[in-house]
Amino acid sequence: MQKPENHPPVRRRRRKWGPRRVWNLFVMAVGYITLAYSLVRGIIYLLVLAEEWM
């Protein structure tokens, strides 16, 4: 397959570490930590319930 001659090579844009990107990463990290915490808490709660039933 040949390259089209009319188009220049596509340059990749560098990612900038602006305040908005840092904030998005922070919010996503907090969200994932909250999800993991509630998942672990739910598993522990189910284990305690299962222990009481037996």
Side-chain angles (χ1 to χ4, degrees), residues 5-21:
E5 297 175 11
N6 298 339
H7 300 291
V10 179
R11 293 184 182 176
R12 300 179 96 188
R13 288 195 306 175
R14 297 177 105 191
R15 291 187 171 184
K16 296 180 182 175
W17 283 95
R20 188 175 186 106
R21 180 173 167 147

Side-chain angles (χ1 to χ4, degrees), residues 23-45:
W23 175 249
N24 286 345
L25 284 174
F26 174 75
V27 169
M28 284 192 53
V30 169
Y32 280 123
I33 289 170
T34 306
L35 281 173
Y37 171 75
S38 49
L39 183 68
V40 169
R41 187 174 170 210
I43 290 172
I44 291 172
Y45 180 71

